[in-house]
């Protein structure tokens, strides 16, 4: 629902409550669901952005100033200078909490500066006293020390930096072939703050921004935290993860309009479409399944199989639960995207049982074709040009991929490309004219 509709609804609700049509509790829940009716002013957003950028520049400038002639200073002077930027940043943050507690710009900027100075102080002290340590340990310590800033300042930028830190930590441990399943517990530490922001208004800037970052972080972490004991498990895992994102977005963010306020829905839909196109090729299905179990990875450390078992069971199960609910609600789009883990599991079983990749790839050919055709038809029927173009793009990508797999002549391929281009132009011109007619009639 757009802001004008929300404002109209809020204007009608007092009268509906007075006439007994809805209860005060229903009114409260509706206001919590749709959030504030007044949009965030662009000027306010600009102030917040520039305050954060200013903090980043100040932090970088302080680090560069300390680096100048650093080696010529005594150890005592270096120790003092190592903590001085952090102390000054904390003083500024305390002033912001006391004098400007209602200013989001001050809180975001001060918390960001403190977060950066924590990392600078740790690295400078370690360099001054030659404290040994590795990069993952430094990133983890920095992230954990910066996490309280999210709750103290009610700030989203430190939450984004924290997510970056634990994701980077998990990736480095994967490179070193070390255990990194603790990422999921670290990421869960942000859930209480996210719940508070969503309760205040799930379509506001802070929860939306954090959800976009969380989608990206979880997508990376899902690939680096599994031990790949069972080859090909990532196929089912990622199909389930993106389907889960999409279905969760459909359930809890269905009241929003546009691209930005619906991160789970659009990130999940993009993931399902990209994976489905990838799975139409045969190479992802080679040498996967229980016949290729990598016993050597768990011979000395059996616990390595635990992350695979946990993630491989919990994420698909959650996706299936939401899929069943979607079937009951008779939501065709949710059903179409929610079937991704089922199709992936079926393809996985086919490749594992028969040691062939053609049936699995063909299965996703049909699945992607069905999604593309439905999106095109639904977009034309409802007048959603973006949805129609996504469906047309999915069908086009599928046709182009299969043409490059075949031995057809360049002339025939060229003719097909021309036909696809004309289809794009014709459908978009049709939609634009249709919208023009509808506007004139309105």
């Amino acid at each position: 629902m757009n802001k004008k509709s929300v404002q109209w609804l809020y204007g009608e609700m007092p009268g509906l409550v007075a006439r007994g049509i809805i209860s005060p509790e229903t009114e409260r829940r509706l206001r919590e669901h749709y959030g504030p009716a007044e949009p965030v002013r662009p000027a306010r957003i600009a102030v917040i952005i520039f305050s954060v950028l200013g903090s980043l520049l100040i932090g970088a400038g302080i680090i560069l100033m300390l680096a100048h002639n650093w080696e010529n200073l005594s150890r005592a002077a270096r120790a003092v200078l190592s903590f001085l930027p952090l102390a000054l940043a904390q003083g500024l943050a305390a002033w912001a909490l006391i004098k400007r507690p209602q200013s989001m710009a001050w809180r975001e900027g001060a918390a960001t500066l403190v977060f950066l100075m924590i990392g600078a102080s740790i690295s400078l002290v370690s360099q001054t006293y030659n404290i040994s340590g590795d990069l993952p340990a430094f990133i983890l310590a920095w992230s954990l020390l910066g996490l309280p800033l999210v709750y103290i300042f009610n700030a989203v930028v430190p939450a984004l930096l924290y997510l970056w830190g634990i994701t980077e930590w998990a990736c480095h441990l994967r490179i070193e072939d070390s255990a990194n399943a603790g990422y999921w517990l670290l990421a869960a530490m942000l859930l209480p703050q996210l719940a508070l922001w969503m309760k205040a208004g799930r379509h506001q800037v802070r929860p939306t921004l954090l959800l976009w970052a969380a989608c990206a972080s979880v997508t990376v972490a899902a690939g680096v935290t599994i031990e790949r004991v069972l080859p090909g498990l990532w196929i089912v895992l990622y199909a389930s993860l993106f389907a889960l994102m999409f279905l969760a977005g459909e359930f809890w963010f269905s009241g929003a309009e546009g691209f930005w306020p619906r991160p789970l829905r659009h990130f999940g839909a993009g993931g399902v479409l990209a994976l489905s196109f990838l799975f139409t090729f045969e190479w992802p299905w080679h040498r996967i399944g229980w016949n290729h179990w990598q016993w050597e990875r768990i011979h000395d450390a059996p616990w390595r199989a635990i992350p695979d078992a946990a993630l491989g069971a919990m994420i698909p199960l959650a996706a299936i639960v939401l899929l069943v609910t979607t079937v009951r609600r008779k939501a065709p789009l949710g059903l179409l995207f929610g079937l991704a883990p089922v199709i992936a599991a079926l393809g996985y079983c086919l490749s594992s049982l028969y040691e062939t990749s053609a049936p699995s790839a063909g299965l996703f050919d049909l699945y992607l074709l069905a999604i593309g055709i439905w999106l095109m038809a639904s977009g034309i029927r409802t007048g959603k040009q973006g949805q129609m173009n996504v469906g047309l793009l999915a069908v086009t990508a599928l046709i182009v991929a299969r043409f490059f797999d075949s031995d057809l002549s360049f002339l025939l391929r060229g003719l097909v490309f021309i036909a696809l281009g004309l289809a794009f132009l014709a459908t978009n011109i049709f939609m634009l004219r249709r919208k023009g007619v509808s506007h004139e009639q309105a």
Side-chain angles (χ1 to χ4, degrees), residues 152-382:
I152 295 173
F153 290 88
N154 195 26
V156 68
V157 176
L160 303 182
L161 293 174
Y162 173 79
L163 268 180
W164 163 82
I166 60 175
T167 307
E168 188 77 12
W169 169 78
C171 291
H172 277 286
L173 290 184
R174 165 54 59 192
I175 296 174
E176 299 175 2
D177 199 25
S178 301
N180 57 3
Y183 163 88
W184 300 100
L185 293 177
L186 295 173
M189 293 182 182
L190 286 177
L191 290 179
Q193 186 63 64
L194 177 61
L196 290 175
W197 285 338
M198 290 184 63
K199 184 177 181 181
R202 65 187 63 189
H203 304 308
Q204 292 183 357
V205 174
R206 285 178 297 184
T208 302
L209 191 59
L210 183 56
L211 282 173
W212 275 111
C215 287
S217 176
V218 168
T219 299
V220 174
V224 300
T225 55
I226 59 174
E227 294 292 336
R228 300 177 180 86
V229 175
L230 184 60
L233 180 63
W234 66 273
I235 293 175
V236 180
L237 178 62
Y238 269 108
S240 302
L241 177 63
F242 289 132
L244 180 61
M245 289 181 184
F246 180 85
L247 294 174
E250 286 289 283
F251 274 91
W252 292 296
F253 293 87
S254 58
E257 290 186 357
F259 181 82
W260 166 256
R262 308 183 74 177
L264 293 174
R265 182 183 190 270
H266 291 106
F267 203 101
V272 169
L273 290 173
L275 275 183
S276 298
F277 176 73
L278 181 67
F279 294 157
T280 61
F281 297 93
E282 295 188 8
W283 63 264
W285 307 100
H286 291 164
R287 298 183 62 82
I288 66 172
W290 41 84
N291 293 326
H292 303 279
W293 189 282
Q294 297 181 6
W295 293 102
E296 65 277 5
R297 293 193 61 82
I298 61 173
H299 183 268
D300 298 324
W303 51 265
R304 284 181 176 271
I306 296 177
D308 291 35
L311 295 177
M314 294 174 61
I315 294 179
L317 180 61
I320 295 300
V321 169
L322 286 184
L323 176 61
V324 171
T325 308
T326 300
V327 173
R328 293 177 178 176
R329 295 175 59 177
K330 298 180 180 179
L333 188 60
L335 175 61
L336 197 61
F337 281 92
L339 281 174
V342 178
I343 304 297
L346 182 57
Y348 186 86
C349 291
L350 288 175
S351 294
S352 300
L353 289 173
Y354 300 107
E355 292 290 339
T356 179
S357 54
S360 301
L363 192 63
F364 271 92
D365 281 330
L366 296 176
Y367 179 60
L368 185 59
L369 182 63
I371 290 180
I373 293 176
W374 195 94
L375 288 175
M376 282 193 299
S378 176
I380 293 173
R381 185 178 66 255
T382 58

